[in-house]
């Protein structure tokens, strides 16, 4: 991301993480709806969701308390926060077949007199619950909450909406590798009746139907991460129904599938770790005592096993990777790296549960921990404990000799695999794995080869944006975003007609708005409140300092005069670190951990 003048980091700044993984987007809608589409006000042909839904379009929305637990009673009252359940056709291609689904929505009511309509928000995923995002946006961006009714929702298949659980049968003799287990999950999910209706295409029809039920002729939209893919699909299908649209942390929406977005992620994560986290630890030698050379810090990490063996894979997966999504937690990530190095130097034969308890206690004891950082550590520890328990349960022998059946939540894979055809060549994924081992060795151990989507044939594709009718959108992107690569967002900005992009230089967080600098937020408010887009296609803003720092340090690529960043997916620092690791693995014995 990019900004101009550094300002003190906002104490309450938080990020909406959209579970994020690896690839995304666009093409031509293949299936034909069962009812003729209606003409939009812009002259383009658009589906009429009210006509398609028939009697369902006459339903009355009944608002009731949300009980989300994420806002106080006072905030809930001030926002007039309420929730409701909307009934939608299960299949928008055959909406009169008698089958329906439930979609849960939330709403805050504009607090000012100058109401500008609804702002539908989505946190990403795919499969992220969005009910809590409405009050978050209204509170974090008060000018938004003043002028808009902010609408959140759990997409079909997710959360408090009709849930998708796939029934999967495993045979312990056949499904005895990770790849075979993945294939069993794909087969079970594809055999589950509801699965084929849990797609982005179906969700954008739900969104438009909700717009109509709320009595709005047009919709405003704010989407994060996968939510930018969702928003682009909506705008490509219903361009005449879009008023203003902000796409924050942008997927590669000019690609025909989500694959490119996910394919870029291993490199962006390696990049952020080496380009920003290692220098951060080196600048704070007084705290961590690991020296002032970032490459020397990386060498200590790799000597302790890195993400290959020992405590590193566990700490990286549960405590470090999440912090790379939100630079507010860099102090936690740095302390976790330091703990892994200590673990190698002072291993004491503890169990994983004991190590987790010890690591959590030491991370929470870090001086100056903010409430949000403490919450991050506690949540990560809780998820790690759950992961250890689940792993122990999976290790138990099945009650029956070989075969057992589970219901699993696989919505993340269901959506990203069904939104466009991923590469199905085993040779391609083997070559990709070899490339990761060479160019992204930090993340390579975590990347499934092949992914579930390689076994998932689909004919779905996003409609291509119409150059004449596609709305002009505002895009926000951080330079070192680990989930939606800057490279993908930049390509998307050049692809979407009339798009404007604000880049935040030297920022690594995933999810920009609100950023609490005038360079970023004033431009977002000018667009959302007054419809004013930046004059230039690209605008550069400077990052705010990292925690416990007062200056912004140059990392990654160089800022260009026209507001873009010239960056490398595999940077020089990454290449140097990778060569160092390769040399270590060849010449030095690896860490030895007692059984």
């Amino acid at each position: 991301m990019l900004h101009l003048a550094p300002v003190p980091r906002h104490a309450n700044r938080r990020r909406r993480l959209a579970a994020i993984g690896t690839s995304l987007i666009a093409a031509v809608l293949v299936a034909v709806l069962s009812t003729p589409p209606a003409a939009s006000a812009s002259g383009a042909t658009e589906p009429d969701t009210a006509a398609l839904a028939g009697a369902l379009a006459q339903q009355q929305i009944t608002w009731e308390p949300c009980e989300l637990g994420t806002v106080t009673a006072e905030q809930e009252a001030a926002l007039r926060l309420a929730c409701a359940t909307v009934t939608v056709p299960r299949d928008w291609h055959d909406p009169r077949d008698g089958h329906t689904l439930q979609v849960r929505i939330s709403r805050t009511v504009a607090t000012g007199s100058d109401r500008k309509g609804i702002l539908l928000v989505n946190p990403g995923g795919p499969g992220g619950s969005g009910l809590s995002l409405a009050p978050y946006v209204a509170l974090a961006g008060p000018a938004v909450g003043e002028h808009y009714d902010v609408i959140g929702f759990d997409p079909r298949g997710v959360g408090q909406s009709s849930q998708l659980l796939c029934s999967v049968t495993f045979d312990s003799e056949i499904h005895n590798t990770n790849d075979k287990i993945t294939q069993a999950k794909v087969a079970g999910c594809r055999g589950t009746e509801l699965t084929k209706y849990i797609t982005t295409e179906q969700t954008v029809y739900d969104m438009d139907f909700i717009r109509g039920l709320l009595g709005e002729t047009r919709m405003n939209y704010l989407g994060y991460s996968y939510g930018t893919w969702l928003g682009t699909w909506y705008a490509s299908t219903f361009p005449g129904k879009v008023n203003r649209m902000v796409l924050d942390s942008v997927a590669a929406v000019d690609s025909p599938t989500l694959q490119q977005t996910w394919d870029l992620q291993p490199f962006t994560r390696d990049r952020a770790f080496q380009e920003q986290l290692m220098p951060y630890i080196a600048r704070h030698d007084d705290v961590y005592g690991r020296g002032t050379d970032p490459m020397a810090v990386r060498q200590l990490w790799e000597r302790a096993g890195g993400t290959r063996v020992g405590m590193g894979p566990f700490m990286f997966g549960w405590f470090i990777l999440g912090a790379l999504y939100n630079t507010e937690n860099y102090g936690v990530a740095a302390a976790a790296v330091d703990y892994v190095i200590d673990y190698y130097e002072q291993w004491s034969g503890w169990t994983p549960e004991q190590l987790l308890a010890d690591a959590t206690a030491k991370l929470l004891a870090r001086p100056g921990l903010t409430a949000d950082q403490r919450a991050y550590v506690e949540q990560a520890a809780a998820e790690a404990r759950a992961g250890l328990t689940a792993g122990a349960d999976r290790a138990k022998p099945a009650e029956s000799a070989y075969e057992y059946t589970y219901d699993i939540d696989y919505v993340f894979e269901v959506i990203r695999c069904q939104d466009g055809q991923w590469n199905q060549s085993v040779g391609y994924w083997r070559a990709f794995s070899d490339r990761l081992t060479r160019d992204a060795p930090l993340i390579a151990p975590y990347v499934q080869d092949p992914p579930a989507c390689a076994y998932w044939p689909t004919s779905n594709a996003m409609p291509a944006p119409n150059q004449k009718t596609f709305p002009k959108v505002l895009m926000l992107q951080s330079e070192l975003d680990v989930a939606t690569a800057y490279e993908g967002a930049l390509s998307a900005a050049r692809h979407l007609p009339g798009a404007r992009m604000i880049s935040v230089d030297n920022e690594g967080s995933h999810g920009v708005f609100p950023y609490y600098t005038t360079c970023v937020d004033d431009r977002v408010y000018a667009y959302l409140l007054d419809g004013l887009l930046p004059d230039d296609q690209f605008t550069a803003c400077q990052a705010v300092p990292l925690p416990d720092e007062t200056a912004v340090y140059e990392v990654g690529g160089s800022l260009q005069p026209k507001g873009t960043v010239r960056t490398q997916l595999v940077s020089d620092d990454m290449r140097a670190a990778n060569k160092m690791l390769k040399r270590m693995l060849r010449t030095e014995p690896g860490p030895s951990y007692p059984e």
Side-chain angles (χ1 to χ4, degrees):
M1 310 182 176
L2 313 159
H3 295 27
L4 291 178
V7 299
R9 210 166 184 80
H10 194 282
N12 295 316
R13 183 172 157 216
R14 304 178 67 160
R15 301 289 184 197
R16 308 126 306 270
L17 298 187
I20 311 189
T22 318
S23 174
L24 309 171
I25 223 126
V28 184
L29 194 58
V30 203
V32 179
L33 292 173
S34 60
T35 303
S40 72
S42 66
T45 300
E46 297 181 9
D48 184 338
T49 51
L52 289 169
L56 291 178
Q58 305 306 314
Q59 66 186 286
Q60 299 298 310
I61 294 181
T62 302
W63 297 103
E64 56 196 17
C66 288
E67 299 180 354
L68 298 176
T70 55
V71 293
T72 66
E74 292 77 11
Q75 290 171 330
E76 189 168 334
L79 296 171
R80 294 167 60 187
L81 175 65
C83 286
T85 298
V86 172
T87 301
V88 301
R90 184 180 68 171
D91 182 8
W92 283 100
H93 292 282
D94 187 11
R96 309 292 179 89
D97 70 350
H99 295 287
T100 60
L101 297 177
Q102 309 297 308
V103 175
R104 188 71 167 168
I105 65 174
S106 60
R107 180 188 68 177
T108 68
V109 178
T111 58
S113 57
D114 184 20
R115 180 182 179 276
K116 297 183 180 296
I118 62 169
L119 178 72
L120 191 78
V121 295
N122 179 270
S129 169
L131 294 177
S132 297
L133 186 58
Y136 169 81
V137 169
L139 291 168
V144 174
E146 179 183 354
H147 295 282
Y148 284 100
D149 293 352
V150 185
I151 310 297
F153 71 111
D154 281 355
R156 54 171 58 207
V158 174
Q160 295 185 32
S161 296
S162 295
Q163 280 195 320
L164 170 65
L165 290 176
C166 295
S167 180
V168 181
T169 299
F170 299 95
D171 186 307
S172 56
E173 281 197 333
I174 299 173
H175 305 118
N176 51 14
T177 66
N178 287 336
D179 187 42
K180 295 283 182 60
I181 291 171
T182 295
Q183 292 182 53
K185 291 178 179 178
V186 170
C189 227
R190 294 188 66 214
T192 300
E193 175 65 16
L194 184 57
T195 295
K196 59 177 166 288
Y197 307 111
I198 308 303
T199 65
T200 295
E201 179 197 11
Q202 296 279 352
T203 295
V204 301
Y205 279 79
D206 292 344
M207 290 162 55
D208 192 69
F209 187 55
I210 291 167
R211 172 202 58 75
L213 289 179
L214 293 174
E216 302 289 331
T217 57
R218 292 204 292 173
M219 176 197 298
N220 303 280
Y221 180 82
L222 168 62
Y224 296 89
S225 191
Y226 157 80
T228 66
W229 172 265
L230 177 66
T232 303
W233 200 310
Y234 181 86
S236 298
T237 308
F238 300 97
K241 300 300 190 299
V242 177
N243 185 28
R244 294 160 192 169
M245 179 170 283
V246 178
L247 305 178
D248 190 327
S249 303
V250 185
V253 296
D254 58 331
S255 169
T257 75
L258 284 169
Q259 181 181 330
Q260 183 181 352
T261 296
W262 264 268
D263 281 358
L264 290 171
Q265 283 185 1
F267 306 99
T268 58
R269 292 169 178 182
D270 268 55
R271 180 166 64 186
F273 187 84
Q274 184 60 43
E275 295 263 349
Q276 195 160 51
L277 183 59
M278 293 295 99
Y280 177 80
I281 296 173
R283 289 196 299 270
H284 294 271
D285 180 51
D286 58 325
V287 176
Y288 305 107
R290 301 300 176 184
T292 59
D293 179 2
M295 198 63 69
V297 177
R298 177 68 181 270
Q299 188 167 4
L300 290 172
W301 160 266
E302 296 296 351
R303 184 168 289 130
T307 54
R308 292 166 282 110
V309 294
M311 191 63 172
F314 183 86
M315 293 297 288
F316 186 89
W318 293 112
F319 292 100
I320 299 172
L321 179 58
L324 296 181
Y325 280 72
N326 179 358
T327 56
E328 289 286 341
N329 292 318
Y330 259 43
V332 174
V337 169
D338 188 52
Y339 184 88
V340 170
I341 297 171
D342 271 344
Y343 168 73
Y344 167 58
E345 295 173 350
Q346 305 174 20
W347 193 89
S348 56
W350 291 350
T351 66
E353 289 78 10
Q354 289 172 321
L355 283 165
L356 173 60
D358 184 66
T360 303
K362 287 180 178 175
L363 292 177
L364 290 174
R366 180 177 177 269
L369 209 65
T370 67
D372 285 347
Q373 290 166 342
R374 176 174 292 276
Y376 169 75
V377 173
E378 291 172 344
Q379 180 180 353
E383 292 172 351
R385 283 191 293 272
L388 288 173
T389 301
D393 289 343
R394 283 194 297 270
K396 296 176 183 177
E399 291 184 8
S400 60
Y402 300 111
E403 199 170 275
Y404 49 101
T405 300
Y406 286 137
D407 286 339
I408 64 170
D409 180 350
Y410 216 47
V411 172
F412 174 77
E413 300 287 10
V414 165
I415 296 175
R416 72 177 189 145
C417 294
Q418 294 190 135
D419 271 5
Q421 185 61 65
W422 287 45
N423 195 306
Q424 294 184 284
S425 165
V426 173
Y428 170 87
W429 292 109
R430 285 176 179 167
F432 185 70
S433 179
D434 291 343
R435 182 188 175 197
L436 295 188
T437 301
R438 181 183 69 247
D439 293 335
L442 180 79
I443 295 298
Y446 297 90
V447 179
Q448 180 182 327
D449 172 31
C453 299
Y455 301 113
W456 208 306
T458 181
S459 60
N460 292 335
M462 185 192 295
N466 186 302
Q467 296 291 321
K468 294 181 179 179
T469 62
F470 192 85
K472 294 181 178 179
V473 301
L474 180 64
M475 300 168 54
L476 308 175
Q477 186 66 34
S478 68
E479 178 190 356
L480 294 178
D481 190 324
V482 298
T484 51
Y486 184 86
E487 289 84 351
L490 184 60
S491 178
R494 290 168 172 159
H495 172 78
L496 297 181
R500 298 289 187 269
M501 177 169 156
I502 299 173
S503 302
V504 188
D505 192 22
N506 303 312
E507 177 59 70
S509 292
H510 180 60
V512 180
F513 179 78
Y515 197 69
Y516 303 108
T517 68
T518 57
C519 185
V520 174
D521 289 0
D522 282 6
R523 287 177 168 87
V524 176
Y525 288 131
Y527 174 58
L528 284 178
L529 304 184
D530 300 313
L532 301 176
L533 283 165
D535 292 334
D536 298 325
Q537 183 179 10
F538 300 104
T539 302
C541 294
Q542 186 54 265
V544 295
L546 293 174
D548 304 315
E549 295 186 336
T550 57
V552 176
Y553 293 86
E554 187 64 36
V555 294
S558 58
L559 185 63
Q560 302 301 293
K562 291 189 176 182
T564 62
V565 177
R566 179 179 294 165
T567 186
Q568 295 175 295
L569 194 60
V570 181
S571 68
D572 292 341
D573 284 350
M574 289 171 64
R575 289 190 183 90
N578 296 343
K579 288 180 180 178
M580 176 269 294
L581 174 57
K582 186 176 181 180
R583 185 169 57 252
M584 283 181 61
L585 294 176
R586 186 175 63 249
T587 61
E588 299 182 21
S592 177
Y593 298 98
E595 296 294 332

